Amino acid sequence: MTTVTLYHNPRCSKSRQTLALLEAQNVQIDIVEYLKNVPSSDDIRAILAMLAISPRELMRTKETEYKEQNLGDVNLTDEQLINAMINTPKLIERPIAIANGKAAVGRPPENVLAIL
């Protein structure tokens, strides 16, 4: 049986929809409520590598905190952006599913089916 790690925010409708979709697939789900259990910089780097995207692409750029922290500044390093996600986990795009050495962002929720 496939085990899926789901970086989940129960208050987010897309995250809840993704969880329901995974439950319907009869897979084992390891839920990480990332706002309570913030991923480490190594975890974030691993997710970025699996997704083959930059740190900024994993960020919720419309959040107030993104603007307040001036995270749109093109001179910020990847390390600075990763640290911003650790310090303000609300900035991490959600939900993120990881299975079989691959990751997918559940926007739309059906994206996660590709990694099962």
Side-chain angles (χ1 to χ4, degrees):
M1 177 184 285
T2 300
T3 298
V4 178
T5 299
L6 182 65
Y7 287 86
H8 176 64
N9 177 351
R11 295 185 63 200
C12 170
S13 64
K14 293 293 184 207
S15 199
R16 291 192 308 271
Q17 290 168 11
T18 300
L19 177 58
L21 183 63
L22 288 170
E23 288 171 339
Q25 297 301 308
N26 195 29
V27 295
Q28 173 95 21
I29 305 167
D30 178 20
I31 297 173
V32 177
E33 288 192 33
Y34 69 94
L35 294 176
K36 294 178 184 174
N37 300 304
V38 180
S40 70
S41 60
D42 288 342
D43 293 335
I44 293 174
R45 279 191 201 85
I47 292 167
L48 291 168
M50 286 185 266
L51 291 170
I53 62 173
S54 71
R56 187 168 277 117
E57 292 173 284
L58 189 62
M59 298 179 87
R60 298 176 58 81
T61 58
K62 293 186 171 112
E63 292 291 343
T64 304
E65 292 84 351
Y66 185 87
K67 293 171 185 63
E68 287 175 351
Q69 295 177 39
N70 197 31
L71 296 171
D73 182 344
V74 296
N75 296 311
L76 293 174
T77 65
D78 286 355
E79 192 63 33
Q80 288 171 307
L81 294 173
I82 290 169
N83 285 334
M85 286 187 270
I86 292 167
N87 294 327
T88 312
K90 179 180 179 183
L91 292 169
I92 301 171
E93 187 56 85
R94 63 185 181 254
I96 302 166
I98 299 172
N100 302 312
K102 300 175 187 172
V105 175
R107 290 186 173 270
E110 294 76 20
N111 283 353
V112 302
L113 298 176
I115 66 169
L116 299 181

